[in-house]
Amino acid sequence: MPATYELRTGDVKNKKQSMADLKLRRLTELNLRLREDLERPRVKVSDAAMSLIAYTNQTKDFMVPSIWGSVDKREDPYAPQQSGGCCTVM
């Protein structure tokens, strides 16, 4: 009987070792991901806001006629399309 007890204690040691290895691997992977995040280039919020403001000032938006004025129906991609009828024959 003592031999079976030895197997169980050895088995417990192996399980504890494998759990420790698993924890180490998870922590190593997490550390690697955090390092990658740290190396990622950052943009200051003020620079991003200025870039967004410049884009909205330079890009004509047909959905805001109060700023850009009325739009010709031919230029407006949101205007309903006028067709000759309700059916198309192919």
Side-chain angles (χ1 to χ4, degrees):
M1 278 215 174
T4 56
Y5 290 124
E6 285 181 32
L7 287 176
R8 287 186 180 177
T9 57
D11 211 19
V12 170
K13 286 181 183 179
N14 288 337
K15 285 184 182 180
K16 285 184 180 180
Q17 183 64 32
S18 66
M19 290 298 287
D21 290 341
L22 182 62
K23 282 184 179 181
L24 177 63
R25 186 173 58 210
R26 285 182 181 169
L27 286 172
T28 304
E29 290 173 359
L30 177 63
N31 191 6
L32 179 65
R33 278 183 274 156
L34 290 173
R35 286 181 191 270
E36 289 173 355
D37 285 345
L38 186 62
E39 292 172 0
R40 186 174 294 132
R42 307 286 184 202
V43 177
K44 292 181 180 179
V45 174
S46 57
D47 294 338
M50 292 303 293
S51 175
L52 184 60
I53 290 170
Y55 175 79
T56 55
N57 285 334
Q58 295 169 0
T59 305
K60 192 171 185 177
D61 187 0
F62 297 109
M63 298 298 286
V64 189
S66 61
I67 294 175
W68 295 100
S70 61
V71 180
D72 186 18
K73 295 280 184 186
R74 290 174 281 164
E75 293 179 16
D76 188 2
Y78 302 109
Q81 299 295 324
Q82 298 295 328
S83 62
C86 65
C87 302
T88 303
V89 178
M90 294 185 159

